[in-house]
Amino acid sequence: MDIDVQPSDDLAITPLPFSIIPSIPPSPEDYTLHRSQHTPIIIDNGSTNLRWGFATSSEPRYGPNIVAKYRERKTNHPLMLFGDAVEVESGAKTQAKTPWEGDVLLNFDALENALDYAFVQLGIDTPTVDHPVLMTERLCSPVHSRALTSELMFEQYSVPSLAYCVDGIMSFYQNSQFSGQPFVSDGLVISFNTASTSVIPILNGRGVLNNAKRIPWGASQATDYLLKLIQMKYPNFPTRVSVAQANWMFRTFCSVSTDYLSLLRSFEDPSILRSHQKIIQFPFLLNSNPLTGGAAGNGDEKTEEELARITERRREQGRKLQEIAARNRIEKLQQKESDLTYLLSLRDNYSSSATKREWDRKLREEGFDDEETFEDTLKKLEADVKKGRKKEKEKEGGTVDGEDVDEPMEEPSFPLVDIPDADLDPSSLAEKKKQKLLKAGYEARLRARKERELKAIKDREEKAEREKQRELEEKLDSEAREADLEGWARKLKGEQEALMTRIKDRAKRRAAMSDRKSAAKQERMKNIANLAAADEKMLGGSGTSKKGGKGTGKGVGKGTGKGRKGNAEDMFGADDADWAIYRKINTTTTISSDEEEDLAQLQQIEHKLLTHDPTFTNQHTHASIVSQRSALLNAFRPVYEEGDGAGNTRIHLTTERWRVCEAWFSPSIAGVDSAGLGEVIQNILSRFGEEEKGRLVKNIFLSGSPSQIPDIAPRLYSTLRPLFPVEMPIEIRSANDPALDAWRGMAKFAKTEEFATVGMSKAEYEEMGGERLKRWWGSNWNGGF
Amino acid sequence: MPPKNLKRKATATDGTLKNTACTSQTLAEQLSYLHLPRPFKNPEYTKNLNRRAKNLKNIMGQERERERAEREKRRLEKAEKDAMEVDGKEVTMESEEIPTYLSIEAPPSVLPHKHYCDITGLEAPYTDPVTGLRYHDKDVYALIKEMSASTAKEYLSARGVNSIVK
């Protein structure tokens, strides 16, 4: 991902980060430390990240919980990649599978592969994994998921014992202050996970899970929501924004606002909105054609010379085609001529010397049925050749008027027309008729030609006159202008405003037409009804009223058929003003001629004002006023010019930064039908007594990676404070290391003696099945024994 | 021991060795662990390959069924117990409900919803009757009027209103 950007100083532009190529992971641990030690293995199986390690290590290993089994394209090697390594191959990315779907562990194979990787990294090379294992589960995980993992662990890896726990509780354990004593602590754990957020009350060191609640909103839903908002805000964005990029944006820029409503109200002022925005610059190409996309990266940078070259090439091609066409035409003409000469020679040869029969035979040989057809084809050929010759002369001589070429042709003569009918025999009579027709046509053509010439002359005269008039007007106008610039400008501005109001009214009227119940529609119905009114009395004459109710029937019209009622004649349409009614009835939204005239006039006036009046700028023209957007919308989503490659690939995040995180407190803004954090906490605490409430509220603990969103704690405090009596102290704290504390808590616990008692042994698994687990203070309750 | 991969055992456990040994290996191949030995896997364990990976819907359905069955059982037990009317001192161990995945899902909110503008995110006192979008002021309304039906639907679906009719 190359970035061509110069960040400007006044805008807070952040470029998109490079994607990191994963490095070779650290070599697996030396197993000799743990061989036959039965060191517990701790696995924190998270939706996003898998963390694992021996209990004695200080740091877990971790990686994104994604597995891709993939066959490399070039070498055809099958590969298996885990975690970050999946980013290396784009083919692998599409085939990546994760064991989790949201909150539920589903994919058996993927989980197996992930665990394989984990154990390989730990360096285990014994036939079984000979260590007790402590794994995490979701809160009240569906038993199917648990059965999956238990089966894997016991049957595939043959672990000696397996214990499950809830990650939030272990993180709480890690962060509670005590040393060595059994864990007795009270508090309310709010565990922010990838696909859900859970609230777990803990009393006396045990999780009271039947009062726990889970909100189906987590970091992944927030990322999706942010992505959707961005896509809707920028529908024509040149590049595709990926989920990973949206995730980065979410993690970097989004935060919770302590008082959402007042923040929103402050945004009424566009400058404040602008000061709170964050801009992300996506990679783009310089000098890019906006049509091909700023960052599409197809390298089509067309410079001036290239464009010129392309047009030249096109012109050449056009010329070549023309030449080819001309050549074809000439060939055909020559062919026809040769045919003609051949046929003529044929006729001369045979019709003069040979007998009729021989002539017929020859004709049939040539393919003509009889002499008639022969003569017809001959005539046609002659006409074609003549036309062809004429066209050739045109093309070469360059005369525009085909008529000029006509002149040298002799006037066709019609000899038989003048001879009276009586003198002619029947065949000649037929001839005469034909000639009459031809003569009439010829004369008509001559007349038409003459008329055209006359008309052309008249047009030219009219144009000259109009020109003169216009010049006169302009002179007057400029004189008026020079005399009194202000007055002239004022007059024109007045006209412009009048025109603009007219246009606006028309637009409003048109909009009102689409609403069924508006006044405009009702008026229209009244007009139509009047037209159709079956009145005997003819309202006759010219349309006196505006509505122009006329006649007795709607003679033309809206589908009521023949509407002649009574014996009164339908006089609608006799008067031209009648047709004006259709202006009012017509609901189609095409621009009528009136509007076009108005717009043209408006343009003229504006043009004059622009050139002569210094105070009238482009801002005042009708076009710019219509397309002006409010200052607020401009601050919200600035519009960049077409050619501004950099600008068009920027994303401005303003209200989205807080909107996305607000969803934790009211998921309904994002379409999730659930109560928000504040309400859920209130619900849970209402089930406890006052004294217990106090204990819980005094120690509210935030855990999980998404709890690192800034300002969650202050917001939570301000949400909860009004719910409880003032004397009750509310304290909110978050984990020291939200991402890894669950693992650390588990490791700490695994080193205690209690750990040995909480695991489920293989024998118990075989007896009870995979859906059960041993219940202890840190585990789930469903299926416990 | 699984029959395959025995040869590569020596070099494969250390990922860094591969760099020097093979020159033409791509990064992906180096990161792949398909050919690394996994001796800890039980070769006799055959996954039930006929079992299809269940998807989320099935699992949720199963959970629901199970919950219903549990509740039925509990109710029957309680009815029995009441019928027997033994010493009232008998305290059932299961007096607390076992929470399941579905039962701990948060209920819908009963607080009145605040209306936010679908386009800008600010407060939205108004709603457009044609599309159903909420908007902040008249300029946003002008924007809404120019929108196509599909864009309006997208905005609505972001809020969770999936209207099929319009």
Side-chain angles (χ1 to χ4, degrees):
Chain A
M1 279 206 296
D2 287 306
I3 299 184
D4 299 309
V5 67
Q6 287 84 38
S8 62
D9 300 285
D10 47 332
L11 299 175
I13 303 189
T14 340
L16 209 57
F18 284 104
S19 60
I20 310 170
I21 310 266
S23 52
I24 312 280
S27 51
E29 280 184 35
D30 192 5
Y31 189 50
T32 49
L33 273 180
H34 302 285
R35 200 186 294 272
S36 322
Q37 294 289 330
H38 299 281
T39 341
I41 295 185
I42 317 286
I43 302 179
D44 179 5
N45 194 4
S47 293
T48 338
N49 288 328
L50 181 71
R51 291 165 277 257
W52 72 93
F54 285 112
T56 48
S57 339
S58 54
E59 290 279 325
R61 294 162 177 262
Y62 54 89
N65 210 345
I66 314 174
V67 172
K69 193 160 185 190
Y70 157 74
R71 188 170 280 274
E72 196 175 345
R73 209 167 18 103
K74 287 177 246 174
T75 53
N76 223 25
H77 290 165
L79 298 173
M80 190 132 70
L81 300 168
F82 175 82
D84 276 332
V86 171
E87 305 276 318
V88 170
E89 289 269 342
S90 56
K93 248 193 279 197
T94 49
Q95 288 199 21
K97 300 229 167 31
T98 122
W100 293 91
E101 182 170 329
D103 233 14
V104 180
L105 196 58
L106 279 188
N107 195 335
F108 195 54
D109 293 327
L111 181 63
E112 184 186 344
N113 291 333
L115 288 175
D116 277 352
Y117 183 81
F119 292 139
V120 161
Q121 283 287 310
L122 290 179
I124 299 178
D125 54 8
T126 51
T128 65
V129 177
D130 198 14
H131 304 260
V133 174
L134 178 60
M135 259 183 93
T136 50
E137 274 196 321
R138 273 303 141 265
L139 186 66
C140 303
S141 139
V143 290
H144 176 80
S145 314
R146 191 183 304 142
L148 270 183
T149 32
S150 294
E151 183 180 334
L152 254 187
M153 282 306 203
F154 282 118
E155 307 212 7
Q156 178 81 287
Y157 300 115
S158 315
V159 296
S161 82
L162 176 64
Y164 289 107
C165 60
V166 177
D167 51 345
I169 304 182
M170 302 318 290
S171 180
F172 183 65
Y173 174 83
Q174 166 74 2
N175 281 281
S176 48
Q177 301 99 335
F178 75 113
S179 50
Q181 298 132 337
F183 174 46
V184 190
S185 215
D186 306 318
L188 192 66
V189 175
I190 306 183
S191 161
F192 291 85
N193 299 109
T194 307
S196 65
T197 311
S198 327
V199 183
I200 310 170
I202 301 193
L203 279 179
N204 298 325
R206 294 187 83 242
V208 186
L209 293 193
N210 56 336
N211 282 331
K213 277 281 176 253
R214 182 190 81 243
I215 303 174
W217 180 265
S220 73
Q221 283 98 336
T223 306
D224 288 337
Y225 188 51
L226 180 63
L227 184 60
K228 189 149 199 188
L229 287 177
I230 291 178
Q231 283 173 342
M232 291 196 297
K233 190 170 177 182
Y234 293 98
N236 302 322
F237 202 64
T239 30
R240 207 175 63 95
V241 183
S242 72
V243 179
Q245 289 165 346
N247 201 341
W248 171 78
M249 282 193 258
F250 170 66
R251 274 181 285 126
T252 330
F253 298 116
C254 294
S255 64
V256 180
S257 91
T258 33
D259 190 350
Y260 191 52
L261 276 183
S262 63
L263 183 72
L264 289 187
R265 283 185 198 140
S266 74
F267 282 160
E268 303 273 341
D269 182 1
S271 56
I272 296 192
L273 190 66
R274 225 187 306 256
S275 68
H276 276 116
Q277 76 180 344
K278 287 273 185 256
I279 309 177
I280 297 130
Q281 175 76 56
F282 272 66
F284 65 98
L285 286 176
L286 301 167
N287 287 341
S288 62
N289 184 357
L291 293 174
T292 57
N298 49 1
D300 255 15
E301 303 188 71
K302 292 206 171 79
T303 58
E304 287 289 328
E305 307 116 40
E306 283 217 25
L307 283 167
R309 230 181 300 150
I310 288 174
T311 42
E312 253 312 302
R313 219 180 304 151
R314 275 207 209 110
R315 233 177 290 151
E316 283 287 326
Q317 284 172 339
R319 236 175 288 150
K320 265 190 225 136
L321 281 171
Q322 273 180 341
E323 282 172 23
I324 293 175
R327 226 177 304 141
N328 279 351
R329 225 179 316 125
I330 292 177
E331 273 181 26
K332 264 195 234 140
L333 191 62
Q334 284 173 345
Q335 172 73 9
K336 281 213 183 90
E337 279 187 356
S338 62
D339 279 342
L340 185 65
T341 40
Y342 174 69
L343 288 178
L344 277 172
S345 67
L346 197 63
R347 185 173 60 176
D348 291 337
N349 281 346
Y350 277 82
S351 55
S352 52
S353 54
T355 60
K356 184 90 170 60
R357 206 175 302 147
E358 280 196 25
W359 177 223
D360 273 340
R361 196 170 35 89
K362 191 60 188 187
L363 277 181
R364 227 151 290 166
E365 266 180 43
E366 295 295 325
F368 294 108
D369 284 338
D370 57 5
E371 204 167 334
E372 290 288 322
T373 42
F374 176 72
E375 294 289 327
D376 282 341
T377 16
L378 199 66
K379 268 201 209 104
K380 235 189 283 170
L381 268 178
E382 279 184 0
D384 281 342
V385 167
K386 232 187 275 180
K387 239 194 291 174
R389 284 277 149 219
K390 193 165 63 164
K391 266 225 192 91
E392 281 303 311
K393 259 196 264 176
E394 263 185 41
K395 287 276 151 65
E396 294 165 19
T399 49
V400 178
D401 260 352
E403 303 147 359
D404 285 336
V405 191
D406 249 31
E407 311 281 4
M409 250 170 39
E410 335 91 44
E411 276 212 12
S413 53
F414 307 104
L416 285 180
V417 176
D418 301 324
I419 306 174
D421 278 349
D423 294 347
L424 292 169
D425 45 4
S427 59
S428 324
L429 261 173
E431 269 293 319
K432 181 179 176 188
K433 254 192 237 148
K434 238 196 288 174
Q435 287 195 358
K436 247 206 216 155
L437 278 169
L438 286 173
K439 180 171 187 188
Y442 176 66
E443 285 182 353
R445 252 179 283 139
L446 277 179
R447 236 179 299 138
R449 213 182 299 155
K450 267 197 212 100
E451 273 189 27
R452 244 181 287 154
E453 287 173 3
L454 279 174
K455 192 161 183 308
I457 294 173
K458 210 166 42 145
D459 277 343
R460 259 173 263 154
E461 286 179 10
E462 272 190 14
K463 236 207 281 186
E465 246 202 60
R466 252 182 282 148
E467 279 285 332
K468 251 196 288 173
Q469 243 188 354
R470 213 182 306 152
E471 283 175 16
L472 204 64
E473 272 183 24
E474 283 201 21
K475 231 189 332 161
L476 281 173
D477 198 40
S478 49
E479 280 176 14
R481 192 193 335 133
E482 269 137 39
D484 173 18
L485 183 61
E486 291 240 348
W488 175 84
R490 221 177 312 139
K491 188 165 59 104
L492 279 184
K493 272 197 210 139
E495 280 178 28
Q496 184 216 23
E497 272 170 36
L499 277 170
M500 285 207 293
T501 39
R502 267 237 299 270
I503 294 179
K504 221 195 300 184
D505 278 342
R506 211 176 280 125
K508 224 186 288 185
R509 193 155 199 289
R510 208 183 304 139
M513 275 301 195
S514 50
D515 179 12
R516 236 167 33 131
K517 299 191 191 139
S518 69
K521 262 296 186 40
Q522 289 182 348
E523 193 186 315
R524 173 176 176 267
M525 290 317 282
K526 267 190 247 169
N527 284 341
I528 296 179
N530 273 339
L531 279 179
D535 256 18
E536 254 83 50
K537 356 184 186 79
M538 254 185 7
L539 299 178
S542 53
T544 47
S545 64
K546 253 195 312 184
K547 305 185 184 169
K550 181 121 337 251
T552 52
K554 270 207 302 169
V556 204
K558 301 274 170 191
T560 50
K562 325 290 182 191
R564 247 172 235 230
K565 309 243 170 120
N567 24 18
E569 271 187 42
D570 181 13
M571 292 297 287
F572 181 84
D575 192 359
D576 275 340
D578 295 347
W579 301 103
I581 191 65
Y582 277 97
R583 293 246 185 97
K584 299 204 171 16
I585 299 181
N586 194 7
T587 56
T588 56
T589 54
T590 52
I591 298 185
S592 66
S593 56
D594 287 1
E595 261 203 47
E596 285 179 353
E597 281 177 23
D598 275 349
L599 281 171
Q601 231 179 333
L602 194 62
Q603 260 191 344
Q604 274 185 348
I605 296 182
E606 283 180 356
H607 180 73
K608 273 194 241 163
L609 276 172
L610 275 172
T611 44
H612 298 299
D613 184 1
T615 60
F616 187 86
T617 60
N618 259 326
Q619 314 276 49
H620 299 127
T621 57
H622 172 69
S624 84
I625 290 183
V626 156
S627 64
Q628 189 182 58
R629 303 159 86 222
S630 74
L632 184 62
L633 272 184
N634 257 340
F636 180 67
R637 186 191 2 157
V639 177
Y640 291 96
E641 302 274 312
E642 268 292 310
D644 188 3
N648 275 327
T649 47
R650 281 196 201 136
I651 290 187
H652 291 251
L653 288 182
T654 44
T655 53
E656 293 83 14
R657 293 170 63 195
W658 295 276
R659 190 172 170 184
V660 168
C661 297
E662 183 63 22
W664 258 277
F665 293 91
S666 55
S668 50
I669 67 177
V672 178
D673 188 18
S674 165
L677 258 183
E679 197 180 336
V680 163
I681 294 179
Q682 196 182 2
N683 271 343
I684 291 179
L685 291 175
S686 65
R687 301 202 208 156
F688 291 99
E690 279 302 313
E691 190 257 324
E692 290 172 327
K693 243 195 262 190
R695 282 154 66 191
L696 287 173
V697 159
K698 209 163 33 160
N699 192 6
I700 300 186
F701 177 73
L702 308 176
S703 83
S705 315
S707 70
Q708 291 165 315
I709 299 174
D711 287 347
I712 278 196
R715 169 62 187 272
L716 207 52
Y717 185 80
S718 60
T719 315
L720 293 177
R721 184 72 268 182
L723 302 175
F724 301 105
V726 188
E727 316 82 55
M728 250 194 236
I730 300 184
E731 268 181 47
I732 306 181
R733 56 197 182 90
S734 47
N736 291 333
D737 182 358
L740 299 180
D741 263 356
W743 189 90
R744 277 196 243 264
M746 299 203 298
K748 187 149 77 161
F749 175 72
K751 291 191 240 185
T752 64
E753 288 170 0
E754 200 186 340
F755 175 61
T757 58
V758 304
M760 186 165 78
S761 70
K762 187 140 187 211
E764 285 172 333
Y765 163 74
E766 272 153 23
E767 186 192 327
M768 311 265 192
E771 294 182 354
R772 314 294 300 274
L773 87 165
K774 198 160 199 181
R775 192 165 139 173
W776 54 288
W777 55 262
S779 79
N780 277 323
W781 290 7
N782 49 342
F785 59 84
Chain B
M1 286 268 188
K4 56 179 178 170
N5 302 326
L6 280 172
K7 295 184 286 254
R8 304 257 213 117
K9 190 172 170 183
T11 53
T13 47
D14 185 1
T16 53
L17 256 185
K18 277 206 179 136
N19 282 340
T20 53
C22 326
T23 48
S24 61
Q25 256 203 345
T26 64
L27 180 63
E29 282 185 2
Q30 289 172 354
L31 294 169
S32 160
Y33 61 100
L34 184 65
H35 300 294
L36 300 180
R38 284 167 274 174
F40 40 78
K41 291 177 87 149
N42 182 4
E44 273 132 53
Y45 170 61
T46 48
K47 277 190 292 200
N48 188 358
L49 288 170
N50 296 335
R51 174 213 11 229
R52 267 175 291 127
K54 298 211 181 116
N55 60 2
L56 192 61
K57 216 166 41 141
N58 291 346
I59 296 187
M60 290 297 120
Q62 250 187 349
E63 283 288 308
R64 238 167 283 157
E65 280 300 314
R66 193 186 302 264
E67 212 179 325
R68 209 176 309 155
E70 279 287 321
R71 228 178 297 150
E72 281 296 316
K73 204 170 57 160
R74 192 109 24 95
R75 210 177 310 150
L76 283 177
E77 277 185 21
K78 206 181 265 191
E80 252 183 46
K81 214 156 289 175
D82 288 344
M84 295 210 302
E85 246 182 77
V86 198
D87 358 289
K89 299 217 186 124
E90 226 177 286
V91 180
T92 53
M93 277 276 286
E94 311 280 300
S95 57
E96 48 199 9
E97 271 181 38
I98 303 285
T100 66
Y101 186 72
L102 296 167
S103 71
I104 53 169
E105 182 137 351
S109 168
V110 295
L111 299 174
H113 293 172
K114 196 84 184 55
H115 291 189
Y116 297 106
C117 173
D118 288 315
I119 315 226
T120 54
L122 306 169
E123 289 179 275
Y126 321 107
T127 314
D128 173 29
V130 177
T131 50
L133 292 172
R134 299 182 182 145
Y135 57 97
H136 174 70
D137 65 356
K138 62 173 170 44
D139 302 302
V140 186
Y141 182 55
L143 208 69
I144 290 184
K145 273 209 286 197
E146 300 175 342
M147 258 188 224
S148 67
S150 54
T151 335
K153 254 207 240 175
E154 268 186 45
Y155 276 106
L156 282 178
S157 70
R159 212 193 329 146
V161 180
N162 299 309
S163 66
I164 312 173
V165 181
K166 279 196 187 170

